[in-house]
């Protein structure tokens, strides 16, 4: 599922366009006990509940594709009898009305979802009548297919914060009664995937709120798919690989680390067209080799990084944009700016010293005497041969020929004299 597919589904989650048929849920405590389960026709929900449940569903379709949202494919064995994909197909076909299947689904999640606290399992059933679109994206009044799918959201449930409030029964200000509040989804999925505006029963979409620590046990044991790195995990893993090899205890290692990021960033394509998405660039082991060489990483260390990179990521090659940390790019830009300023200051100092330096000679009494000059010239090497003296109006003058487009600086002031 790409960005457009996800947005097409998400835009429909409104009062007038929402087509959820049924919602089921199971509230689980920290000891994995089912506190309560329920099943409702979605359109029969009270208005306040209706909007709250829609907001939760929207969260499952939020975030960045490749980071918070991962596209997963089912292994062939999971599509056979007894496989997880077959189980989800049956759950979808039942439209969440088969109580035995619902209990089996809740049990599957409870047994395989690692969470230290109370949480609410929500699962929605929807049937979206996908309208045909013309080449200019205008909808035609005819159906292309019916996309029937399940959307699951697992939401932490925590006690509200303690505080003071008005106790109406006692007519006084006192401790506020704390209750259990359902939070935004921590984990979720959409099955089957909605790819290129069509049903893809061989794939599903997985959502994680925390891209640093997704619930891979849920991916593998509930969905039956192979876990994948999020973009955040790829970035942090790559940084650890590089730092473990080149070190991080001195300025040289830090500069090398930052230059690697800069060179990776140079791989990311840029387009002025905001409507067009640039083609993503995969960072293969050979690409990493080129980046490390360009960054000046010693050959022995580069080989270790390349081998570790290939062993960890394998065929799941990260994209360049997933490995680059914007904060590190900013740090490196400031570092380079500082170095450039230092370089400019050194150049100015050198020029000043050259301007002020004069040969030392002995005076009549044998003591050092400073020889001074009334005129000191600094010209480009190609100009030296053009300088000559002339008597003008009885005055000896130095003549420096100048072209029309040439400029000069006299005592630091630019002039076109």
């Amino acid at each position: 599922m790409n960005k457009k597919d996800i947005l097409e589904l998400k835009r429909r989650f409104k009062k007038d366009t929402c087509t959820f048929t049924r919602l089921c849920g199971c509230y689980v405590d920290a000891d994995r006990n089912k506190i309560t389960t329920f099943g409702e026709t979605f359109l029969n929900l009270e208005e306040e509940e209706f909007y709250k449940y829609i907001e939760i569903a929207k969260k499952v379709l939020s975030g960045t594709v490749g980071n918070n949202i991962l596209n997963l494919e089912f292994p062939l064995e999971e599509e056979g009898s007894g496989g997880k994909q077959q189980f989800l197909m049956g759950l979808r076909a039942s439209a969440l009305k088969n109580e035995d299947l619902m209990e089996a689904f809740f049990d599957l999640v409870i047994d395989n979802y690692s969470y230290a606290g109370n949480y609410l399992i929500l699962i929605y059933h929807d049937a979206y009548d996908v309208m045909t679109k013309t080449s200019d994206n205008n909808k035609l009044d005819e159906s292309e297919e019916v996309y029937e799918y399940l959307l699951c959201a697992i939401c932490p449930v925590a006690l509200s914060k303690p505080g003071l409030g008005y106790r109406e029964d006692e007519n006084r200000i006192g401790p506020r009664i704390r209750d259990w509040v359902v939070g935004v989804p921590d984990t979720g999925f959409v099955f089957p995937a909605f790819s290129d505006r069509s049903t893809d029963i061989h794939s599903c979409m997985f959502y994680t709120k925390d891209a640093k620590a997704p619930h891979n046990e849920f991916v593998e044991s509930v969905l039956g798919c192979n876990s994948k790195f999020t973009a955040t995990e790829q970035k942090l893993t790559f940084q650890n690989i590089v730092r473990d090899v080149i070190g991080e205890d001195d300025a040289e290692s830090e500069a090398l680390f930052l230059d690697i990021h800069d060179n990776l960033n140079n791989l990311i394509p840029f387009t002025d067209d905001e409507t067009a998405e640039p083609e993503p660039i995969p960072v293969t082991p050979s690409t990493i080799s080129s980046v490390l060489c360009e960054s000046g990483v010693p050959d022995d260390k580069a080989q270790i990084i390349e081998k570790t990179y290939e062993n960890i990521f394998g065929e799941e090659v990260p994209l360049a944009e997933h490995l680059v940390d914007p904060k590190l790019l900013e740090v490196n830009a400031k570092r380079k700016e500082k170095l450039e300023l230092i370089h400019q200051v050194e150049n100015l100092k050198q020029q000043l010293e050259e301007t002020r330096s004069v040969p030392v000679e002995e005076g009549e009494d044998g003591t050092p005497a400073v020889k001074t000059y009334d005129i000191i010239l600094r010209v480009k090497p190609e100009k030296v041969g053009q300088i000559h003296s002339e008597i003008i109006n009885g005055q000896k003058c130095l003549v420096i020929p100048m072209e029309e487009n040439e400029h000069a600086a006299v005592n630091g002031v630019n002039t076109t004299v």
Side-chain angles (χ1 to χ4, degrees):
M1 293 175 67
N2 58 32
K3 199 181 208 178
K4 289 183 179 179
D5 296 327
I6 292 167
L7 286 176
E8 183 171 346
L9 292 183
K10 192 174 180 180
R11 287 194 191 104
R12 298 174 51 256
F13 294 174
K14 300 175 184 177
K15 178 68 175 177
D16 298 331
T17 54
C18 178
T19 56
F20 286 132
T21 62
R22 190 168 177 79
L23 170 69
C24 293
C26 178
Y27 178 38
V28 184
D29 68 12
D31 295 322
R32 299 190 175 187
N33 298 312
K34 295 178 188 174
I35 305 302
T36 186
T37 59
F38 62 88
E40 300 278 353
T41 300
F42 200 80
L43 295 178
N44 290 344
L45 293 170
E46 294 182 9
E47 187 169 1
E48 188 173 350
E49 288 182 286
F50 183 93
Y51 285 112
K52 292 297 182 184
Y53 283 124
I54 280 185
E55 287 302 314
I56 289 174
K58 282 182 179 179
K59 288 295 183 182
V60 176
L61 296 176
S62 301
T64 306
V65 177
N67 197 36
N68 306 96
I69 293 174
L70 300 177
N71 291 302
L72 306 175
E73 294 184 0
F74 293 100
L76 288 176
E77 59 269 22
E78 294 295 347
E79 297 192 5
S81 178
K84 299 297 191 307
Q85 187 255 20
Q86 283 295 295
F87 173 71
L88 292 172
M89 291 284 285
L91 196 62
R92 182 187 69 153
S94 74
L96 306 183
K97 294 177 181 178
N98 185 310
E99 292 186 5
D100 291 337
L101 283 178
M102 288 310 310
E103 288 298 320
F105 174 73
F106 292 143
D107 289 339
L108 181 64
V109 173
I110 293 168
D111 291 341
N112 296 285
Y113 179 66
S114 178
Y115 184 78
N118 297 11
Y119 59 90
L120 175 64
I121 306 169
L122 293 174
I123 185 164
Y124 306 68
H125 175 269
D126 192 10
Y128 169 34
D129 200 7
V130 184
M131 292 296 171
T132 303
K133 282 190 177 182
T134 60
S135 57
D136 57 358
N137 280 333
N138 289 324
K139 291 183 179 179
L140 298 178
D141 192 19
E142 59 182 62
S143 175
E144 207 166 54
E145 70 167 280
V146 175
Y147 170 56
E148 184 182 7
Y149 68 98
L150 305 174
L151 184 150
C152 176
I154 300 180
C155 308
V157 180
L159 275 172
S160 59
K161 294 181 179 180
L164 294 175
Y166 174 63
R167 303 291 293 265
E168 187 175 2
D169 55 336
E170 301 174 9
N171 191 29
R172 72 182 184 90
I173 300 297
R176 188 177 66 185
I177 297 175
R178 301 177 67 188
D179 52 4
W180 292 94
V181 180
V182 177
V184 296
D186 171 77
T187 298
F189 70 85
V190 171
F191 170 83
F194 184 58
S195 303
D196 296 325
R197 308 192 72 240
S198 185
T199 303
D200 179 5
I201 62 171
H202 305 293
S203 304
C204 71
M205 188 212 85
F206 172 71
Y207 166 81
T208 178
K209 180 186 175 187
D210 185 359
K212 289 183 179 179
H215 286 271
N216 289 326
E217 79 285 352
F218 184 93
V219 171
E220 296 171 359
S221 300
V222 176
L223 299 178
C225 299
N226 295 321
S227 59
K228 293 175 67 174
F229 284 111
T230 65
T232 299
E233 288 181 305
Q234 289 176 334
K235 177 179 65 181
L236 295 176
T237 300
F238 175 70
Q239 289 179 9
N240 289 334
I241 292 172
V242 175
R243 285 199 180 280
D244 285 346
V245 176
I246 68 173
E248 54 181 324
D249 298 329
D250 54 71
E252 185 179 350
S253 298
E254 185 65 17
L256 197 58
F257 178 74
L258 294 174
D259 283 340
I260 291 171
H261 263 73
D262 248 10
N263 290 323
L264 277 173
N265 187 55
N266 292 336
L267 297 176
I268 301 175
F270 174 78
T271 176
D272 292 326
D273 186 358
E274 295 182 358
T275 61
E277 292 187 15
E279 190 70 24
I281 303 298
V283 183
T284 63
S286 61
T287 306
I288 280 293
S289 178
S290 300
V291 168
L292 296 176
C293 179
E294 186 179 357
S295 304
V297 178
D299 289 343
D300 56 336
K301 292 184 177 181
Q303 290 176 7
I304 297 173
I305 294 173
E306 293 165 28
K307 186 175 181 180
T308 308
Y309 181 90
E310 188 171 7
N311 290 339
I312 290 179
F313 292 115
E315 296 181 359
E316 193 183 332
V317 179
L319 301 179
E321 62 193 72
H322 291 172
L323 296 182
V324 174
D325 189 333
K327 292 181 180 178
L328 292 178
L329 293 178
E330 187 177 344
V331 170
N332 202 32
K334 290 180 179 178
R335 179 184 71 89
K336 288 186 174 181
E337 184 180 352
K338 184 178 178 181
L339 289 175
E340 179 61 25
L341 286 173
I342 293 173
H343 180 66
Q344 290 178 10
V345 170
E346 291 299 323
N347 281 342
L348 288 172
K349 284 182 178 179
Q350 184 178 353
Q351 291 175 18
L352 187 60
E353 289 298 323
E354 290 176 356
T355 303
R356 290 177 175 175
S357 62
V358 292
V360 178
E361 299 179 353
E362 289 188 359
E364 295 179 358
D365 56 356
T367 59
V370 177
K371 185 176 180 180
T372 59
Y373 294 94
D374 297 307
I375 299 173
I376 297 175
L377 295 177
R378 285 177 57 83
V379 296
K380 294 181 179 179
E382 57 268 24
K383 279 286 180 185
V384 174
Q386 300 176 18
I387 300 174
H388 60 278
S389 63
E390 286 186 15
I391 303 296
I392 301 175
N393 297 328
Q395 183 80 32
K396 186 177 181 180
C397 300
L398 280 177
V399 178
I400 306 174
M402 292 180 64
E403 302 292 339
E404 289 184 4
N405 61 344
E406 288 184 324
H407 294 260
V410 179
N411 292 340
V413 179
N414 288 332
T415 178
T416 55
V417 174

